Amino acid sequence: MRRIRFRWAVAAVCAMTLTTAGAATATAAPDRVPLIGTSFTDGLVDQGPVPDGTPVAQTVYLAVKDPDGLARRAKAVSDPASPGYGRFLGRDRIRETTRLDRAQVDRVRAWLTGAGLSVTEPDWRHLAVTGTFGQLNKAFAVTFHDYVYPPESGIKGHYLISTTNLSVPAELGALVLGVGQDTILVRDSDPAAPRRSTGRSPRVDAGAAEECSKYWGQRPATGVPKVNGATPPLKPCGYTPKQLRHAYGLDKLGVTGAGQTVAVVASSMDTLEKDINTWSDRVGTQRLRPGQFTRVPSPDGSPPEGPGDGGYGAMIEATIDAESVHGIAPDANIVAIGQSTAQGGNLLASLGYALDHTDASIVSMSLANDPPPGLRKAFDQVYQEGALQGVGFYFCTGDGGYKINDTGGEWLNGYAGSTWVTGVGGTSVAIGKDGDREWETGWGDPVSPLSKDGKSWEEMQSTGGTGGGRATGQPQPWYQRGVVPDRYATTSDGSRGRVGPDVAFDADPVTGMVVGGTPLNGSPATDPGTWHYVEHTFGGTSLSTPLFAGVQALAQQANGGKRFGFANPVLYQRAGTPAFRDVTAYRLPNGDPATAVVYGSDPSGGKTPELHHFLATQWVGPVGDARPPEVAPGFDTETGLGTPTGAYLRSFAGH
């Protein structure tokens, strides 16, 4: 996926390049309040205004009655130092004390219907509007234009975007937070028909199984150039859940996630439950018991994503997420919630469904984007609502050897930069023959290709690594004070900001987990009816996040079954204790980084080796003013507090 300079078209999986946005400069009329960050910036070709009669559907997100009060209550139930800690509320009570008054909602409805739009109320958090672009333009005092990529790009699709910031009447400015999608992606052949992006794909290492090891160092990579006089090892084939549970000390207390429910958010294939059971048989994990798994195709009844409409990558992601949770916490219930495909729908629909219709206390999301400021407030409200209900949200910090986006923060997924979520970063881990963790370092492995004559390794090239860093515009949360070093937290004006990740787990595709499923055999262009179950090794923070969600299911069971809700205060309470392993840069006795050989397919159908260097940095060469994620003693921007140990689970035992 190419990076485009407008915001909020699509939420990508963590391993993908993300949509971006520059600062909008247009201002609204004095009697209106702009929704900052909702206008077009650059990078596309203007095809002119969208015809006024073109049908459109949109979602308008509402504020809550007392935003500051909601935040205070969410903190009180989440902070172990508070007298109100753990005193969660039911969803009905939260709704009644949080939603806007009827008269306030009616004022918003009157504004929208006054422009000719039809309005319904699917739930108390938002209004659904339908009508035409002419009516939408009138309501928000803008003009939507039809944009496309330059012809030479070869990228199809129309992007319907306002040329200036959307705005609302000033008297409604405190009531309306934003719209579901200010950029509407539609089919190339029909500007009125909604469609999802196809540019989504998790990180996958599909090297041949015969060119790998069952554990770290089992097999040498014979026939390739040596490294510092020694033959480098072949990469692991993909760890099993049993190996990961043992290496992290998660198999010591006998907890299995019993009594806990984890929701994973990604559109799934209808074979997912069958695939989890097939995979469980093959990797030595117990099968799902009847009723343990629930699949929700979409949160609002919209048609599930198809492979060619962006669903292919989501189907793979759902497989990774569900199997990661089941592998770490085999007795935990799992709910797989798809995403809305409705025009104007977005991730908030899935999060609201998790709160309103499931018993999940842990919600794992391997999605990356950066909402505009108004919608950030809408997301934070849902996270705070979840905290009151005893639900915690876990987001990947993102992958890649580049600055992820212009407003989410330095190298950090914008979703993970919220004060009210747990951001999960990534590591590389070596698990030995006996199942113990031999070493662990931050995920970042530059690659050396094989020279043309096959006699040496070429210079290192930048490749993927975990996201992390300071979140732009997010003040330092109370739980990070005194833990996060100033070198990470201090902003240009001398204040301190939110830094991620909070924790980490194995994410490196070279040391990833074996995943099995039907979508892994497919592609966006092929018929799902022709796909069949296959296995590959996967990594990325798309993997580490659901793995850590599984850890939290174990921890809650160890905590007497009591849910954490928003878990960061509990996590930071354990900073610097044996509960977390302090991950630093690993080096061999001679001072060199560890290496491993990975075989990949070449255009001729053969296998070509490349050498991965476990440097714990994702970038080789100058980086300008941006500071890439790094590992260091104590809290750092690749692994946060570190990775969980058996002592983490024991710290809750007997509570």
Side-chain angles (χ1 to χ4, degrees), residues 369-602:
N369 210 321
D370 187 44
L375 274 191
R376 281 187 219 155
K377 294 179 182 178
F379 274 92
D380 279 351
Q381 286 178 180
V382 170
Y383 304 146
Q384 292 161 3
E385 180 191 341
L388 280 178
Q389 193 171 315
V391 179
F393 296 92
Y394 298 78
F395 270 105
C396 57
T397 57
D399 308 346
Y402 44 78
K403 188 176 179 181
I404 285 186
N405 55 51
D406 294 335
T407 54
E410 296 175 346
W411 311 76
L412 180 67
N413 169 20
Y415 284 145
S418 170
T419 292
W420 297 97
V421 306
T422 300
V424 184
T427 67
S428 307
V429 63
I431 301 178
K433 183 178 181 179
D434 59 2
D436 290 339
R437 177 169 42 186
E438 294 194 356
W439 54 261
E440 188 169 21
T441 191
W443 170 37
D445 359 322
V447 171
S448 290
L450 186 66
S451 63
K452 291 182 179 180
D453 62 10
K455 296 181 179 180
S456 63
W457 299 107
E458 296 182 359
E459 292 294 319
M460 287 187 291
Q461 302 174 3
S462 297
T463 184
T466 184
R470 192 176 64 246
T472 301
Q474 301 292 320
Q476 185 176 62
W478 80 95
Y479 50 80
Q480 288 198 324
R481 295 170 193 159
V483 177
V484 177
D486 284 348
R487 70 179 183 276
Y488 300 135
T490 303
T491 66
S492 57
D493 64 4
S495 62
R496 292 180 178 85
R498 162 81 161 116
V499 179
D502 300 299
V503 293
F505 210 90
D506 181 29
D508 191 338
V510 181
T511 68
M513 188 182 80
V514 61
V515 175
T518 302
L520 279 59
N521 176 248
S523 76
T526 56
D527 179 2
T530 66
W531 302 352
H532 60 269
Y533 178 95
V534 297
E535 292 173 357
H536 288 302
T537 301
F538 281 84
T541 53
S542 286
L543 174 70
S544 62
T545 303
L547 287 173
F548 187 76
V551 174
Q552 291 297 80
L554 302 181
Q556 288 188 168
Q557 182 187 1
N559 194 41
K562 293 179 286 189
R563 51 178 63 189
F564 300 139
F566 173 49
N568 282 11
V570 169
L571 299 175
Y572 280 83
Q573 187 185 49
R574 288 159 173 75
T577 73
F580 292 102
R581 182 177 187 270
D582 184 13
V583 180
T584 57
Y586 173 75
R587 294 293 181 264
L588 299 170
N590 65 0
D592 294 323
T595 58
V597 171
V598 177
Y599 279 86
S601 301
D602 60 35

Side-chain angles (χ1 to χ4, degrees), residues 248-250 252-253 437 574 577-581 643-653:
Y248 283 91
L250 305 175
K252 307 300 184 185
L253 284 184
R437 177 169 42 186
R574 288 159 173 75
T577 73
F580 292 102
R581 182 177 187 270
T643 53
T645 67
Y648 176 68
L649 299 183
R650 289 194 296 273
S651 72
F652 299 104

Side-chain angles (χ1 to χ4, degrees), residues 16-70:
M16 294 303 298
T17 308
L18 309 179
T19 57
T20 65
T25 57
T27 58
D31 60 343
R32 299 186 70 88
V33 175
L35 302 178
I36 301 299
T38 58
S39 66
F40 172 78
T41 52
D42 58 52
L44 299 174
V45 178
D46 190 348
Q47 301 284 92
V50 178
D52 282 351
T54 304
V56 67
Q58 191 54 275
T59 302
V60 176
Y61 284 94
L62 303 173
V64 295
K65 185 184 304 182
D66 180 5
D68 292 339
L70 175 60

Side-chain angles (χ1 to χ4, degrees), residues 101-236:
D101 294 333
R102 181 73 258 168
Q104 294 173 309
V105 177
D106 286 344
R107 287 164 57 196
V108 178
R109 286 181 64 104
W111 155 60
L112 294 166
T113 57
L117 295 163
S118 297
V119 181
T120 58
E121 298 182 38
D123 72 25
W124 62 272
R125 304 177 189 91
H126 71 273
L127 302 176
V129 300
T130 56
T132 66
F133 270 94
Q135 294 165 340
L136 196 68
N137 289 338
K138 179 180 178 181
F140 289 96
V142 294
T143 302
F144 274 80
H145 278 222
D146 181 4
Y147 292 90
V148 296
Y149 273 102
E152 60 271 18
S153 72
I155 300 175
K156 303 296 184 180
H158 288 250
Y159 302 85
L160 310 186
I161 316 168
S162 170
T163 56
T164 57
N165 281 322
L166 279 66
S167 67
V168 301
E171 65 270 18
L172 302 179
L175 306 181
V176 177
L177 297 179
V179 297
Q181 291 176 337
D182 49 68
T183 300
I184 300 174
L185 174 62
V186 298
R187 292 190 179 95
D188 186 56
S189 59
D190 180 6
R195 178 189 156 180
R196 307 293 289 180
S197 168
T198 58
R200 304 175 53 184
S201 178
R203 295 186 65 87
V204 57
D205 167 29
E210 66 271 14
E211 300 290 354
C212 58
S213 298
K214 292 183 179 180
Y215 53 85
W216 180 261
Q218 179 202 20
R219 297 179 58 199
T222 57
V224 301
K226 293 185 177 181
V227 179
N228 296 320
T231 301
L234 286 169
K235 70 169 287 288

